[in-house]
Amino acid sequence: YVFFCDKGYQDTDTVISSVTTKVKGIALTNTSDLGLRIWDAADYVIPAQEESSFFVLTNLIITPNQTQSCCAENPGPRSSCSTDQDCEKGLVNKHKTGMQTGRCIQFSASEKTCEVLAWCPLEKEANPPDPPLLAEAEKFTVLIKNGIHYPKFHFRKRNILPHVNSSYLSQCVFNRTTDPDCPIFRLGDIASEAGEDFQTMAVHGGVNLAAEPDLRSALGLCVTQGGVMGVQIRWDCDLDWPESWCVPTYTFRRLDNKDLKNNVTTGYNFRFAKYYKNERGQESRTLFKGYGIRFDIKVFGTGRKSSALPILLNLGASLGLLGT
């Protein structure tokens, strides 16, 4: 058992790995805020480079032409008011968007709120578009380049295998049956192999509210968009055999929680802005609340190779056990 089943004649080493990614794809949108616009990787991959992960935008709430000025705060427990006495000058509410000026002003025809010094107009408090603005992200592809090293055995390899050439890379997409060695993955395929629907995940964080209308009305804004997917690359290599036998295997799974009973702050979103100055030097910005899917790439593996030391140790332990 020790020598044949448990391979006690081999020494082991843990993999050391590096990962880089490159996402490609084009999407076309036509919105009232931005007009007709082409989105490429420089627009929807934020930031452009990360360590062993990448983030792809799938949806946006856009607030254009913001300037630093005074405006009515969005309604809420600390911002709704009747008179100036209800507003505290200098108050900054971490859940709101600016500093109160102490004035109570008209927010709408029927409601007053405290005036704030902020980037105005304030961000829209609305549900993201459905279908998602960048629904074509499902067709985007990512090239994952992974290099591994077993330092104990002086062994190096990468997931772009020796037989993979430039012409093959230019037209292949990973398929577990027909192209298991292709390092280019379609984002929609990653989600489907993990048992998720990409469009549902992009819009509702993985909860299919279209199929369950009762949940849509019951959960409302609690269900947010986006999520986190895991790409797992496993290198388990028996280095007593030819080097060509040491190849990676890919698996995919969802990493974030989509439990309906615990749906507070689910999904993945963040804010970013693009700043401008006019000819008079006045600064303005377009605010984006971005929703999307983060892909984390995890590399695991164990290398094994015959060595005299484990043979002697296991042989001595076996003889000691027999003597006992």
Side-chain angles (χ1 to χ4, degrees):
Y1 172 81
V2 170
F3 282 94
F4 293 99
C5 297
D6 203 35
K7 297 186 178 181
Y9 57 90
Q10 292 180 318
D11 199 1
T12 62
D13 195 12
T14 303
V15 69
I16 297 175
S17 168
S18 67
V19 175
T20 59
T21 62
K22 183 183 293 184
V23 181
K24 289 186 178 181
I26 297 294
L28 175 69
T29 61
N30 191 359
T31 65
S32 58
D33 291 323
L34 297 179
L36 191 66
R37 176 167 176 163
I38 286 286
W39 297 75
D40 62 17
D43 297 311
Y44 58 73
V45 180
I46 302 171
Q49 292 292 329
E50 278 193 89
E51 181 84 21
S52 300
S53 67
F54 61 97
F55 174 83
V56 176
L57 282 174
T58 58
N59 217 346
L60 291 167
I61 294 177
I62 304 168
T63 310
N65 302 320
Q66 286 188 319
T67 59
Q68 294 230 347
S69 54
C70 293
C71 53
E73 177 63 277
N74 292 319
R78 297 294 300 275
S79 57
S80 297
C81 62
S82 301
T83 65
D84 290 349
Q85 283 70 35
D86 297 328
C87 301
E88 182 182 342
K89 186 175 181 179
L91 176 66
V92 177
N93 186 340
K94 65 179 180 180
H95 299 295
K96 294 299 180 180
T97 53
M99 178 183 292
Q100 291 189 12
T101 64
R103 298 178 59 220
C104 182
I105 62 175
Q106 210 72 37
F107 174 79
S108 65
S110 59
E111 191 169 9
K112 285 186 172 184
T113 60
C114 295
E115 184 185 59
V116 290
L117 174 63
W119 284 97
C120 299
L122 301 180
E123 180 182 82
K124 303 170 185 177
E125 292 190 343
N127 285 321
D130 185 0
L133 200 63
L134 297 180
E136 293 175 74
E138 183 176 15
K139 302 175 184 177
F140 297 167
T141 60
V142 58
L143 167 63
I144 299 178
K145 294 189 286 185
N146 172 218
I148 59 113
H149 181 207
Y150 289 112
K152 187 181 291 187
F153 307 129
H154 307 289
F155 179 84
R156 294 178 182 271
K157 199 168 186 180
R158 60 181 190 149
N159 67 327
I160 301 178
L161 302 177
H163 67 273
V164 174
N165 54 36
S166 298
S167 60
Y168 175 74
L169 275 181
S170 66
Q171 50 83 34
C172 80
V173 175
F174 175 84
N175 182 287
R176 200 167 294 283
T177 303
T178 60
D179 289 284
D181 296 333
C182 181
I184 298 175
F185 303 84
R186 185 173 170 269
L187 302 189
D189 293 341
I190 292 177
S192 62
E193 281 228 14
E196 301 286 341
D197 178 73
F198 188 92
Q199 295 297 326
T200 301
M201 192 173 179
V203 177
H204 302 299
V207 182
N208 190 351
L209 296 183
E212 302 181 65
D214 293 338
L215 287 176
R216 177 189 288 272
S217 58
L219 297 178
L221 295 177
C222 290
V223 177
T224 59
Q225 296 190 343
V228 183
M229 294 296 303
V231 179
Q232 298 175 323
I233 307 176
R234 180 167 288 279
W235 293 83
D236 285 332
C237 297
D238 189 335
L239 301 179
D240 289 333
W241 296 97
E243 180 182 326
S244 60
W245 291 23
C246 178
V247 294
T249 57
Y250 303 95
T251 55
F252 313 97
R253 61 177 298 180
R254 184 166 182 173
L255 300 179
D256 66 315
N257 179 30
K258 62 171 187 177
D259 184 4
L260 292 179
K261 297 179 180 179
N262 184 17
N263 55 64
V264 179
T265 67
T266 58
Y268 193 101
N269 65 79
F270 65 98
R271 292 172 177 83
F272 64 100
K274 295 187 177 180
Y275 294 84
Y276 312 91
K277 277 191 177 181
N278 60 21
E279 61 278 4
R280 298 188 301 275
Q282 295 175 325
E283 188 178 37
S284 64
R285 75 178 188 181
T286 297
L287 178 66
F288 300 89
K289 185 176 182 181
Y291 299 83
I293 302 175
R294 177 187 174 97
F295 294 83
D296 287 340
I297 303 164
K298 309 293 184 182
V299 182
F300 309 89
T302 302
R304 312 180 73 95
K305 193 172 185 179
S306 295
S307 175
L309 181 60
I311 291 176
L312 293 174
L313 290 175
N314 285 311
L315 184 59
S318 301
L319 291 174
L321 179 61
L322 289 173
T324 302

PDB file of all heavy atoms in Angstrom, residues 13 24 36 40 54 59 80 95 127 129 134 158 177 189 202 214 216-217 231 234 238 259 262 278 281 285 298 318:
ATOM      1  N   ASP A  13       6.417  18.053  -4.240  1.00  0.00           N
ATOM      2  CA  ASP A  13       6.662  19.491  -4.202  1.00  0.00           C
ATOM      3  C   ASP A  13       5.362  20.200  -4.551  1.00  0.00           C
ATOM      4  O   ASP A  13       4.554  19.698  -5.345  1.00  0.00           O
ATOM      5  CB  ASP A  13       7.766  19.869  -5.195  1.00  0.00           C
ATOM      6  CG  ASP A  13       8.323  21.273  -4.942  1.00  0.00           C
ATOM      7  OD1 ASP A  13       8.017  21.844  -3.886  1.00  0.00           O
ATOM      8  OD2 ASP A  13       9.072  21.774  -5.808  1.00  0.00           O
ATOM      9  N   LYS A  24     -10.673  39.968 -24.627  1.00  0.00           N
ATOM     10  CA  LYS A  24     -10.976  40.573 -25.919  1.00  0.00           C
ATOM     11  C   LYS A  24     -12.468  40.477 -26.195  1.00  0.00           C
ATOM     12  O   LYS A  24     -13.128  39.518 -25.789  1.00  0.00           O
ATOM     13  CB  LYS A  24     -10.194  39.884 -27.045  1.00  0.00           C
ATOM     14  CG  LYS A  24      -8.699  40.171 -27.026  1.00  0.00           C
ATOM     15  CD  LYS A  24      -8.008  39.577 -28.242  1.00  0.00           C
ATOM     16  CE  LYS A  24      -6.521  39.910 -28.247  1.00  0.00           C
ATOM     17  NZ  LYS A  24      -5.838  39.353 -29.439  1.00  0.00           N
ATOM     18  N   LEU A  36     -24.607  56.570 -29.116  1.00  0.00           N
ATOM     19  CA  LEU A  36     -24.067  55.362 -29.741  1.00  0.00           C
ATOM     20  C   LEU A  36     -22.595  55.235 -29.368  1.00  0.00           C
ATOM     21  O   LEU A  36     -21.808  56.167 -29.583  1.00  0.00           O
ATOM     22  CB  LEU A  36     -24.228  55.443 -31.256  1.00  0.00           C
ATOM     23  CG  LEU A  36     -23.962  54.163 -32.049  1.00  0.00           C
ATOM     24  CD1 LEU A  36     -25.000  53.101 -31.712  1.00  0.00           C
ATOM     25  CD2 LEU A  36     -23.961  54.445 -33.541  1.00  0.00           C
ATOM     26  N   ASP A  40     -14.634  48.584 -25.887  1.00  0.00           N
ATOM     27  CA  ASP A  40     -13.618  47.556 -26.064  1.00  0.00           C
ATOM     28  C   ASP A  40     -12.976  47.244 -24.716  1.00  0.00           C
ATOM     29  O   ASP A  40     -13.398  47.751 -23.669  1.00  0.00           O
ATOM     30  CB  ASP A  40     -12.576  47.964 -27.108  1.00  0.00           C
ATOM     31  CG  ASP A  40     -11.813  49.222 -26.718  1.00  0.00           C
ATOM     32  OD1 ASP A  40     -11.836  49.615 -25.536  1.00  0.00           O
ATOM     33  OD2 ASP A  40     -11.157  49.819 -27.604  1.00  0.00           O
ATOM     34  N   PHE A  54      -9.442  39.165 -13.068  1.00  0.00           N
ATOM     35  CA  PHE A  54      -9.864  40.262 -13.927  1.00  0.00           C
ATOM     36  C   PHE A  54     -11.348  40.514 -13.706  1.00  0.00           C
ATOM     37  O   PHE A  54     -12.095  39.636 -13.269  1.00  0.00           O
ATOM     38  CB  PHE A  54      -9.568  39.972 -15.407  1.00  0.00           C
ATOM     39  CG  PHE A  54     -10.269  38.755 -15.957  1.00  0.00           C
ATOM     40  CD1 PHE A  54     -11.454  38.860 -16.656  1.00  0.00           C
ATOM     41  CD2 PHE A  54      -9.715  37.488 -15.789  1.00  0.00           C
ATOM     42  CE1 PHE A  54     -12.093  37.741 -17.159  1.00  0.00           C
ATOM     43  CE2 PHE A  54     -10.342  36.356 -16.296  1.00  0.00           C
ATOM     44  CZ  PHE A  54     -11.539  36.480 -16.982  1.00  0.00           C
ATOM     45  N   ASN A  59     -22.935  45.838 -16.616  1.00  0.00           N
ATOM     46  CA  ASN A  59     -24.027  46.794 -16.562  1.00  0.00           C
ATOM     47  C   ASN A  59     -23.570  48.088 -15.905  1.00  0.00           C
ATOM     48  O   ASN A  59     -22.575  48.099 -15.165  1.00  0.00           O
ATOM     49  CB  ASN A  59     -25.221  46.219 -15.782  1.00  0.00           C
ATOM     50  CG  ASN A  59     -26.550  46.641 -16.384  1.00  0.00           C
ATOM     51  OD1 ASN A  59     -26.615  47.555 -17.202  1.00  0.00           O
ATOM     52  ND2 ASN A  59     -27.618  45.987 -15.986  1.00  0.00           N
ATOM     53  N   SER A  80     -34.608  64.017   4.730  1.00  0.00           N
ATOM     54  CA  SER A  80     -35.938  64.609   4.542  1.00  0.00           C
ATOM     55  C   SER A  80     -36.179  65.671   5.610  1.00  0.00           C
ATOM     56  O   SER A  80     -35.758  65.528   6.761  1.00  0.00           O
ATOM     57  CB  SER A  80     -37.019  63.529   4.617  1.00  0.00           C
ATOM     58  OG  SER A  80     -36.859  62.594   3.570  1.00  0.00           O
ATOM     59  N   HIS A  95     -23.756  57.489   4.463  1.00  0.00           N
ATOM     60  CA  HIS A  95     -24.621  56.783   3.533  1.00  0.00           C
ATOM     61  C   HIS A  95     -25.161  57.698   2.445  1.00  0.00           C
ATOM     62  O   HIS A  95     -25.888  57.256   1.571  1.00  0.00           O
ATOM     63  CB  HIS A  95     -25.785  56.127   4.281  1.00  0.00           C
ATOM     64  CG  HIS A  95     -25.349  55.109   5.290  1.00  0.00           C
ATOM     65  ND1 HIS A  95     -24.719  53.937   4.938  1.00  0.00           N
ATOM     66  CD2 HIS A  95     -25.432  55.100   6.643  1.00  0.00           C
ATOM     67  CE1 HIS A  95     -24.447  53.235   6.020  1.00  0.00           C
ATOM     68  NE2 HIS A  95     -24.867  53.924   7.075  1.00  0.00           N
ATOM     69  N   ASN A 127     -32.803  50.979 -10.294  1.00  0.00           N
ATOM     70  CA  ASN A 127     -32.317  49.651 -10.639  1.00  0.00           C
ATOM     71  C   ASN A 127     -31.503  49.716 -11.924  1.00  0.00           C
ATOM     72  O   ASN A 127     -31.810  50.501 -12.821  1.00  0.00           O
ATOM     73  CB  ASN A 127     -33.486  48.687 -10.838  1.00  0.00           C
ATOM     74  CG  ASN A 127     -34.112  48.267  -9.526  1.00  0.00           C
ATOM     75  OD1 ASN A 127     -33.408  48.052  -8.546  1.00  0.00           O
ATOM     76  ND2 ASN A 127     -35.430  48.162  -9.499  1.00  0.00           N
ATOM     77  N   PRO A 129     -30.154  48.702 -15.695  1.00  0.00           N
ATOM     78  CA  PRO A 129     -30.932  48.265 -16.856  1.00  0.00           C
ATOM     79  C   PRO A 129     -31.073  46.748 -16.931  1.00  0.00           C
ATOM     80  O   PRO A 129     -30.171  46.007 -16.555  1.00  0.00           O
ATOM     81  CB  PRO A 129     -30.110  48.799 -18.044  1.00  0.00           C
ATOM     82  CG  PRO A 129     -29.292  49.911 -17.489  1.00  0.00           C
ATOM     83  CD  PRO A 129     -29.009  49.543 -16.066  1.00  0.00           C
ATOM     84  N   LEU A 134     -24.203  45.816 -21.161  1.00  0.00           N
ATOM     85  CA  LEU A 134     -23.171  45.096 -21.912  1.00  0.00           C
ATOM     86  C   LEU A 134     -23.514  43.607 -21.945  1.00  0.00           C
ATOM     87  O   LEU A 134     -22.740  42.752 -21.498  1.00  0.00           O
ATOM     88  CB  LEU A 134     -21.795  45.325 -21.282  1.00  0.00           C
ATOM     89  CG  LEU A 134     -21.299  46.776 -21.291  1.00  0.00           C
ATOM     90  CD1 LEU A 134     -19.930  46.874 -20.630  1.00  0.00           C
ATOM     91  CD2 LEU A 134     -21.222  47.327 -22.704  1.00  0.00           C
ATOM     92  N   ARG A 158       4.266  25.709 -18.937  1.00  0.00           N
ATOM     93  CA  ARG A 158       3.154  26.664 -18.997  1.00  0.00           C
ATOM     94  C   ARG A 158       1.963  26.024 -19.694  1.00  0.00           C
ATOM     95  O   ARG A 158       2.106  24.993 -20.371  1.00  0.00           O
ATOM     96  CB  ARG A 158       3.574  27.955 -19.700  1.00  0.00           C
ATOM     97  CG  ARG A 158       4.036  27.796 -21.124  1.00  0.00           C
ATOM     98  CD  ARG A 158       4.456  29.140 -21.691  1.00  0.00           C
ATOM     99  NE  ARG A 158       4.676  29.073 -23.130  1.00  0.00           N
ATOM    100  CZ  ARG A 158       4.468  30.088 -23.947  1.00  0.00           C
ATOM    101  NH1 ARG A 158       4.020  31.237 -23.465  1.00  0.00           N
ATOM    102  NH2 ARG A 158       4.691  29.968 -25.237  1.00  0.00           N
ATOM    103  N   THR A 177     -14.265  18.796 -24.691  1.00  0.00           N
ATOM    104  CA  THR A 177     -14.214  17.606 -25.533  1.00  0.00           C
ATOM    105  C   THR A 177     -13.303  17.804 -26.744  1.00  0.00           C
ATOM    106  O   THR A 177     -12.435  16.974 -27.025  1.00  0.00           O
ATOM    107  CB  THR A 177     -15.632  17.231 -26.012  1.00  0.00           C
ATOM    108  OG1 THR A 177     -16.473  17.046 -24.873  1.00  0.00           O
ATOM    109  CG2 THR A 177     -15.601  15.956 -26.840  1.00  0.00           C
ATOM    110  N   ASP A 189     -19.199  30.482 -21.415  1.00  0.00           N
ATOM    111  CA  ASP A 189     -18.926  29.053 -21.185  1.00  0.00           C
ATOM    112  C   ASP A 189     -18.418  28.820 -19.765  1.00  0.00           C
ATOM    113  O   ASP A 189     -18.728  27.789 -19.157  1.00  0.00           O
ATOM    114  CB  ASP A 189     -17.904  28.546 -22.193  1.00  0.00           C
ATOM    115  CG  ASP A 189     -18.440  28.532 -23.619  1.00  0.00           C
ATOM    116  OD1 ASP A 189     -19.673  28.570 -23.776  1.00  0.00           O
ATOM    117  OD2 ASP A 189     -17.622  28.508 -24.565  1.00  0.00           O
ATOM    118  N   ALA A 202     -25.475  38.440 -14.623  1.00  0.00           N
ATOM    119  CA  ALA A 202     -25.152  39.823 -14.936  1.00  0.00           C
ATOM    120  C   ALA A 202     -26.253  40.779 -14.505  1.00  0.00           C
ATOM    121  O   ALA A 202     -25.993  41.920 -14.116  1.00  0.00           O
ATOM    122  CB  ALA A 202     -24.895  39.970 -16.436  1.00  0.00           C
ATOM    123  N   ASP A 214     -42.517  36.282  -7.877  1.00  0.00           N
ATOM    124  CA  ASP A 214     -42.769  36.548  -6.460  1.00  0.00           C
ATOM    125  C   ASP A 214     -41.501  37.002  -5.761  1.00  0.00           C
ATOM    126  O   ASP A 214     -41.528  37.868  -4.890  1.00  0.00           O
ATOM    127  CB  ASP A 214     -43.330  35.298  -5.774  1.00  0.00           C
ATOM    128  CG  ASP A 214     -44.711  34.942  -6.286  1.00  0.00           C
ATOM    129  OD1 ASP A 214     -45.381  35.852  -6.826  1.00  0.00           O
ATOM    130  OD2 ASP A 214     -45.112  33.779  -6.159  1.00  0.00           O
ATOM    131  N   ARG A 216     -39.025  38.575  -7.233  1.00  0.00           N
ATOM    132  CA  ARG A 216     -38.709  39.915  -7.709  1.00  0.00           C
ATOM    133  C   ARG A 216     -39.359  40.986  -6.851  1.00  0.00           C
ATOM    134  O   ARG A 216     -38.741  41.951  -6.430  1.00  0.00           O
ATOM    135  CB  ARG A 216     -39.151  40.068  -9.167  1.00  0.00           C
ATOM    136  CG  ARG A 216     -38.922  41.469  -9.720  1.00  0.00           C
ATOM    137  CD  ARG A 216     -39.571  41.624 -11.082  1.00  0.00           C
ATOM    138  NE  ARG A 216     -38.851  40.885 -12.093  1.00  0.00           N
ATOM    139  CZ  ARG A 216     -37.832  41.377 -12.781  1.00  0.00           C
ATOM    140  NH1 ARG A 216     -37.406  42.602 -12.548  1.00  0.00           N
ATOM    141  NH2 ARG A 216     -37.228  40.657 -13.689  1.00  0.00           N
ATOM    142  N   SER A 217     -40.667  40.811  -6.565  1.00  0.00           N
ATOM    143  CA  SER A 217     -41.366  41.820  -5.772  1.00  0.00           C
ATOM    144  C   SER A 217     -40.979  41.749  -4.304  1.00  0.00           C
ATOM    145  O   SER A 217     -40.932  42.762  -3.614  1.00  0.00           O
ATOM    146  CB  SER A 217     -42.879  41.625  -5.924  1.00  0.00           C
ATOM    147  OG  SER A 217     -43.244  40.323  -5.507  1.00  0.00           O
ATOM    148  N   VAL A 231     -11.894  30.345 -11.625  1.00  0.00           N
ATOM    149  CA  VAL A 231     -11.284  29.476 -12.638  1.00  0.00           C
ATOM    150  C   VAL A 231     -10.163  28.717 -11.938  1.00  0.00           C
ATOM    151  O   VAL A 231      -9.183  29.316 -11.492  1.00  0.00           O
ATOM    152  CB  VAL A 231     -10.734  30.291 -13.822  1.00  0.00           C
ATOM    153  CG1 VAL A 231     -10.086  29.362 -14.846  1.00  0.00           C
ATOM    154  CG2 VAL A 231     -11.834  31.113 -14.478  1.00  0.00           C
ATOM    155  N   ARG A 234      -5.518  23.038 -12.220  1.00  0.00           N
ATOM    156  CA  ARG A 234      -4.832  22.044 -11.394  1.00  0.00           C
ATOM    157  C   ARG A 234      -3.726  21.362 -12.199  1.00  0.00           C
ATOM    158  O   ARG A 234      -3.951  20.869 -13.291  1.00  0.00           O
ATOM    159  CB  ARG A 234      -5.824  21.000 -10.865  1.00  0.00           C
ATOM    160  CG  ARG A 234      -5.161  19.926  -9.988  1.00  0.00           C
ATOM    161  CD  ARG A 234      -6.182  19.105  -9.242  1.00  0.00           C
ATOM    162  NE  ARG A 234      -6.816  19.863  -8.169  1.00  0.00           N
ATOM    163  CZ  ARG A 234      -6.264  20.061  -6.972  1.00  0.00           C
ATOM    164  NH1 ARG A 234      -5.069  19.574  -6.694  1.00  0.00           N
ATOM    165  NH2 ARG A 234      -6.912  20.755  -6.053  1.00  0.00           N
ATOM    166  N   ASP A 238       3.017  13.593 -12.340  1.00  0.00           N
ATOM    167  CA  ASP A 238       3.934  12.512 -11.977  1.00  0.00           C
ATOM    168  C   ASP A 238       5.139  12.645 -12.904  1.00  0.00           C
ATOM    169  O   ASP A 238       5.085  12.260 -14.084  1.00  0.00           O
ATOM    170  CB  ASP A 238       3.251  11.158 -12.154  1.00  0.00           C
ATOM    171  CG  ASP A 238       4.082  10.020 -11.581  1.00  0.00           C
ATOM    172  OD1 ASP A 238       5.321  10.180 -11.491  1.00  0.00           O
ATOM    173  OD2 ASP A 238       3.500   8.976 -11.222  1.00  0.00           O
ATOM    174  N   ASP A 259     -27.335  33.068  -1.818  1.00  0.00           N
ATOM    175  CA  ASP A 259     -28.400  32.526  -0.967  1.00  0.00           C
ATOM    176  C   ASP A 259     -29.548  33.529  -0.874  1.00  0.00           C
ATOM    177  O   ASP A 259     -29.353  34.681  -0.472  1.00  0.00           O
ATOM    178  CB  ASP A 259     -27.834  32.238   0.432  1.00  0.00           C
ATOM    179  CG  ASP A 259     -28.854  31.570   1.348  1.00  0.00           C
ATOM    180  OD1 ASP A 259     -29.963  31.264   0.871  1.00  0.00           O
ATOM    181  OD2 ASP A 259     -28.527  31.357   2.528  1.00  0.00           O
ATOM    182  N   ASN A 262     -30.116  35.128   2.520  1.00  0.00           N
ATOM    183  CA  ASN A 262     -29.088  36.047   3.014  1.00  0.00           C
ATOM    184  C   ASN A 262     -28.590  36.861   1.830  1.00  0.00           C
ATOM    185  O   ASN A 262     -27.483  36.666   1.327  1.00  0.00           O
ATOM    186  CB  ASN A 262     -27.945  35.264   3.662  1.00  0.00           C
ATOM    187  CG  ASN A 262     -26.896  36.178   4.274  1.00  0.00           C
ATOM    188  OD1 ASN A 262     -27.150  37.353   4.506  1.00  0.00           O
ATOM    189  ND2 ASN A 262     -25.717  35.645   4.522  1.00  0.00           N
ATOM    190  N   ASN A 278     -13.786  72.233 -19.044  1.00  0.00           N
ATOM    191  CA  ASN A 278     -14.160  73.003 -20.224  1.00  0.00           C
ATOM    192  C   ASN A 278     -13.137  74.103 -20.481  1.00  0.00           C
ATOM    193  O   ASN A 278     -12.134  74.228 -19.765  1.00  0.00           O
ATOM    194  CB  ASN A 278     -15.581  73.565 -20.082  1.00  0.00           C
ATOM    195  CG  ASN A 278     -15.717  74.499 -18.876  1.00  0.00           C
ATOM    196  OD1 ASN A 278     -14.728  75.037 -18.365  1.00  0.00           O
ATOM    197  ND2 ASN A 278     -16.942  74.691 -18.418  1.00  0.00           N
ATOM    198  N   GLY A 281     -12.033  76.180 -17.590  1.00  0.00           N
ATOM    199  CA  GLY A 281     -11.377  75.519 -16.484  1.00  0.00           C
ATOM    200  C   GLY A 281     -12.322  74.918 -15.469  1.00  0.00           C
ATOM    201  O   GLY A 281     -11.872  74.449 -14.416  1.00  0.00           O
ATOM    202  N   ARG A 285     -17.707  65.813 -14.329  1.00  0.00           N
ATOM    203  CA  ARG A 285     -17.409  64.392 -14.438  1.00  0.00           C
ATOM    204  C   ARG A 285     -18.656  63.620 -14.843  1.00  0.00           C
ATOM    205  O   ARG A 285     -19.788  64.093 -14.665  1.00  0.00           O
ATOM    206  CB  ARG A 285     -16.868  63.839 -13.118  1.00  0.00           C
ATOM    207  CG  ARG A 285     -17.926  63.647 -12.032  1.00  0.00           C
ATOM    208  CD  ARG A 285     -17.337  63.042 -10.762  1.00  0.00           C
ATOM    209  NE  ARG A 285     -18.392  62.687  -9.806  1.00  0.00           N
ATOM    210  CZ  ARG A 285     -18.178  62.165  -8.599  1.00  0.00           C
ATOM    211  NH1 ARG A 285     -16.927  61.963  -8.191  1.00  0.00           N
ATOM    212  NH2 ARG A 285     -19.186  61.851  -7.814  1.00  0.00           N
ATOM    213  N   LYS A 298      -7.320  30.503  -9.668  1.00  0.00           N
ATOM    214  CA  LYS A 298      -6.615  29.791  -8.606  1.00  0.00           C
ATOM    215  C   LYS A 298      -5.848  28.619  -9.215  1.00  0.00           C
ATOM    216  O   LYS A 298      -6.411  27.848 -10.003  1.00  0.00           O
ATOM    217  CB  LYS A 298      -7.595  29.270  -7.548  1.00  0.00           C
ATOM    218  CG  LYS A 298      -8.568  30.317  -7.005  1.00  0.00           C
ATOM    219  CD  LYS A 298      -7.876  31.385  -6.206  1.00  0.00           C
ATOM    220  CE  LYS A 298      -8.875  32.361  -5.596  1.00  0.00           C
ATOM    221  NZ  LYS A 298      -8.193  33.442  -4.847  1.00  0.00           N
ATOM    222  N   SER A 318       8.248   0.755   7.482  1.00  0.00           N
ATOM    223  CA  SER A 318       7.564  -0.507   7.236  1.00  0.00           C
ATOM    224  C   SER A 318       8.224  -1.655   8.004  1.00  0.00           C
ATOM    225  O   SER A 318       7.541  -2.499   8.602  1.00  0.00           O
ATOM    226  CB  SER A 318       7.564  -0.819   5.754  1.00  0.00           C
ATOM    227  OG  SER A 318       6.919   0.203   5.030  1.00  0.00           O
TER     228      SER A 318
END
